[in-house]
Amino acid sequence: MIETDRERVLAYRHAVQQLDRSAGAVENLGVLPLGVPDTPAGSALQSVRTRVPGAELPNSVVLAWSVRGSAHLHRAADLAELAGRLYPMSDADVVARMPVMKSVDAPLAVFGKTVAAMREHSLEPTDRGTLSAAVTRDVPEASAWCKACESTHVFYSLYLQSGLAAGIRLVRASGRLRITAAPKWHVPQRPARTDDLIKDVLRLLGPGSITDVAALLGTSATALRPVWPTDLVEVSVAGKQSWFVPDAIAALDSPPSPRGVRLLPTGDPYLQARDRAELLPDPAHRKVLWRAVGSPGALLADGEIVGTWRARKAGSKLQVDATGFRALSAAVREEVETEAQQLAGTRGAKSAVVAFDSI
């Protein structure tokens, strides 16, 4: 077993996720295979620009419902392979990912039926409601009355999680979501190389346990265990048993020291790790950062989360409120000011005004 500690783990993740700005171009971002979450809508661009300042999204990068059915940015060329890796492995896996599916017979078969319906009804550009109505007619056994919508529609989690296998792409324009499907697409019928997906998770967010990986993918450790890779390396992180990819052991052993301030949006890949106590040891601070609704962004300084931030646009200015878990140094405050100007451009503002506070 290899022994390591929290400091090296966080330094490794900072480097492998290119928060050191070593990518140089969007196409080179190592987080794209697993995806850059776009929740809340538009935040993925901030995650990208945190790593590649001022970058525009190339046509080769697209938005799709992928991990846990959430909207993520990916390289379009990666999506066919990812669709196979994310395809559910069993009835139990479908129910673990979408508990509402326990009410249907043969959940995996119904998932496949939903994929086919999603594909058929998205070949021409459509919208969320129209597509949902069409799929509901084809898959009535996985539909239910929705009080909020005052209508019967296909289970929402099933709708979202079947989208990638159907080849669906998403475009946000003028506050609306347009849906279409890749014209040339092989619809997967079964999972393929889920073990490689597990390795991608561990490479970006590891070392981690099977429970950590299952939580990130939205399934259960029981469902994941049959495909758990046999060539992983066992790692002890301050006494916690974890697993890691062997080809990154050297990078974990001697990572570069993290430097610089970053304003990470709520859904940033760095914050997707499920070992939150490692990211932020103080439970009171974790409660502030990870809220049930309306979480703030994370203020990262030299690899440590040292506070939170929120931003709101007022006319041509972006008001950024940065709150430290302790008093922020003058050097950190100066870098926050610089990062806030970059954030202003992403949010469509001409400049940013930063207000500092501490808990």
Side-chain angles (χ1 to χ4, degrees), residues 63-65 79 115-126 131 162-171 178-185 187:
L63 193 65
W65 289 318
L79 287 180
V115 170
M118 292 283 280
R119 176 72 183 168
E120 178 183 353
H121 297 297
S122 61
L123 291 173
E124 296 294 332
T126 185
L131 179 59
S162 60
L164 179 62
I168 282 178
R169 305 287 184 270
L170 311 172
V171 177
R178 295 295 292 170
I179 298 170
T180 189
K184 296 181 180 179
W185 183 258
V187 176

Side-chain angles (χ1 to χ4, degrees), residues 34-158:
L34 197 59
V36 180
D38 195 46
T39 304
S43 62
L45 180 58
Q46 173 59 16
S47 288
V48 168
R49 288 182 173 176
T50 296
R51 294 161 172 81
V52 186
E56 297 295 337
L57 298 179
N59 292 334
S60 59
V61 173
V62 298
L63 193 65
W65 289 318
S66 60
V67 179
R68 301 184 308 279
S70 296
H72 287 66
L73 283 178
H74 293 274
R75 279 186 289 263
D78 294 341
L79 287 180
E81 192 168 73
L82 182 62
R85 294 178 179 184
L86 278 173
Y87 202 91
M89 296 168 283
S90 62
D91 286 342
D93 188 23
V94 172
V95 172
R97 299 186 195 201
M98 298 160 269
V100 69
M101 289 291 284
K102 66 185 177 183
S103 65
V104 306
D105 295 329
L108 185 58
V110 172
F111 180 86
K113 182 179 178 180
T114 307
V115 170
M118 292 283 280
R119 176 72 183 168
E120 178 183 353
H121 297 297
S122 61
L123 291 173
E124 296 294 332
T126 185
D127 58 64
R128 195 193 312 252
T130 302
L131 179 59
S132 177
V135 173
T136 300
R137 291 191 294 270
D138 287 359
V139 196
E141 65 270 41
S143 305
W145 174 258
C146 175
K147 185 177 180 180
C149 299
E150 294 189 340
S151 67
T152 295
H153 60 71
V154 66
F155 300 149
Y156 192 51
S157 57
L158 175 61

Side-chain angles (χ1 to χ4, degrees), residues 201-241:
V201 174
L202 291 173
R203 185 172 287 105
L204 287 170
L205 297 168
S209 67
I210 189 170
T211 301
D212 292 334
V213 177
L216 186 280
L217 296 177
T219 187
S220 67
T222 300
L224 208 57
R225 194 164 281 113
V227 295
W228 192 253
T230 58
D231 58 344
L232 297 177
V233 177
E234 191 173 1
V235 176
S236 173
V237 182
K240 175 190 172 184
Q241 183 191 42

Side-chain angles (χ1 to χ4, degrees), residues 280 284-286 288-289 299 305-308 323-328 357-359:
L280 196 52
H285 294 165
R286 292 199 297 273
V288 171
L289 180 60
L299 174 53
I305 299 173
V306 298
T308 65
T323 303
F325 294 138
R326 57 183 182 274
L328 301 175
D357 198 0
S358 59
I359 295 177

